[in-house]
Amino acid sequence: MTKKKKVTGGNPANRTRREGTGFEDAVMEWAEMFVHHGDNGQAKAAAAVATWVGASDPGRTGINQCVNACYQLQMVLDAVGVTSVLLPVTLKLLNPTSNKVLGSAGTTTPGWSDGYRFWSGHAVLYLPSQGRILDPTIGQAIPAGRASARIPLMGKVTEIIRGTPDQATQPGTRWAVARDGHVAEYQVLEPEYSPLVNAEVVKVLQSSTAGLRDRLPRIVQATNAMLTARENLPGF
């Protein structure tokens, strides 16, 4: 008899997965939450993330590799009609009550080491038409043993700490994005620190995503199927 997969209660985007629950299943639950209860923009972006995970096997290429994940997801979002901007950022996870730093990712002057295998920065996607950010690898900021935030973060920039909404992608702008249990605080870095300014890095990314590019029609079809199912839900 197969044991039923169990999760702790609460928001699916913030659950600590118990043993036996695969990452793909967890992301699907996360996406379905947005598809069923979010607005059209959330639904489309979340569905794209879920189908990307299912079709591209990001675990094989490294779900914790923010550059790979953002580059791949940008391809998928573009294919389903969602514009995104890849930005280099720093990330701090803060306790919403005490403001204590729970974790961090990315340096203020990121660079590459060991050829182009390791990058000391952090990258996210900004969705300008929605005023949202999508961080597929926020788990990089979580200390060992805290797996709940491995699920991607997608949320409105609830507060521009420095800058104005029309300057959301400008260097120095700081965003705060609320999530159950913590606040993710990002600061946008200068464009020179984007991993995509390096021609060798782009060449490697293009080569590594050739298979994903071939699978884009299937990903788009699966995304549209999730959105069609949403239209048949009560209240839509």
Side-chain angles (χ1 to χ4, degrees):
M1 179 177 176
T2 302
K3 290 185 178 181
K4 185 178 180 181
K5 296 175 182 178
K6 296 180 179 180
V7 296
T8 58
N11 187 327
N14 300 288
R15 292 173 176 169
T16 302
R17 316 310 299 187
R18 293 184 181 175
E19 187 176 358
T21 301
F23 178 68
E24 292 80 5
D25 292 338
V27 172
M28 183 58 72
E29 286 189 26
W30 171 85
E32 287 177 345
M33 179 188 67
F34 284 116
V35 170
H36 293 173
H37 305 292
D39 60 33
N40 288 334
Q42 285 177 309
K44 196 166 192 177
V49 173
T51 52
W52 160 69
V53 168
S56 73
D57 189 15
R60 181 178 60 80
T61 60
I63 187 63
N64 282 333
Q65 298 174 11
C66 59
V67 178
N68 282 339
C70 285
Y71 189 82
Q72 292 177 10
L73 262 180
Q74 192 169 43
M75 288 175 55
V76 174
L77 290 168
D78 183 64
V80 300
V82 177
T83 299
S84 63
V85 182
L86 190 153
L87 294 172
V89 298
T90 59
L91 164 62
K92 288 191 297 184
L93 297 184
L94 306 174
N95 182 298
T97 303
S98 67
N99 222 34
K100 177 183 177 181
V101 177
L102 304 174
S104 62
T107 65
T108 56
T109 56
W112 294 91
S113 61
D114 193 13
Y116 297 107
R117 292 185 60 198
F118 301 104
W119 187 55
S120 61
H122 189 63
V124 299
L125 296 175
Y126 181 71
L127 314 181
S129 64
Q130 302 182 27
R132 290 190 174 96
I133 70 163
L134 178 56
D135 186 347
T137 62
I138 188 173
Q140 288 179 310
I142 299 298
R146 298 187 60 186
S148 58
R150 187 167 175 242
I151 302 300
L153 176 146
M154 180 171 64
K156 284 272 190 182
V157 177
T158 55
E159 180 184 1
I160 301 289
I161 303 173
R162 181 187 301 161
T164 59
D166 62 337
Q167 298 173 322
T169 62
Q170 296 302 307
T173 298
R174 290 166 60 196
W175 318 318
V177 183
R179 194 178 194 186
D180 291 354
H182 60 256
V183 173
E185 184 178 300
Y186 296 87
Q187 179 164 331
V188 182
L189 301 182
E190 295 286 342
E192 67 190 83
Y193 293 118
S194 169
L196 301 186
V197 301
N198 188 306
E200 288 299 317
V201 172
V202 173
K203 184 178 179 180
V204 170
L205 289 169
Q206 289 175 339
S207 175
S208 66
T209 55
L212 175 61
R213 194 170 291 109
D214 292 339
R215 291 190 291 274
L216 280 177
R218 180 158 58 95
I219 293 176
V220 172
Q221 184 179 28
T223 300
N224 289 336
M226 289 187 72
L227 297 175
T228 298
R230 164 189 167 91
E231 295 172 358
N232 296 325
L233 292 171
F236 287 91

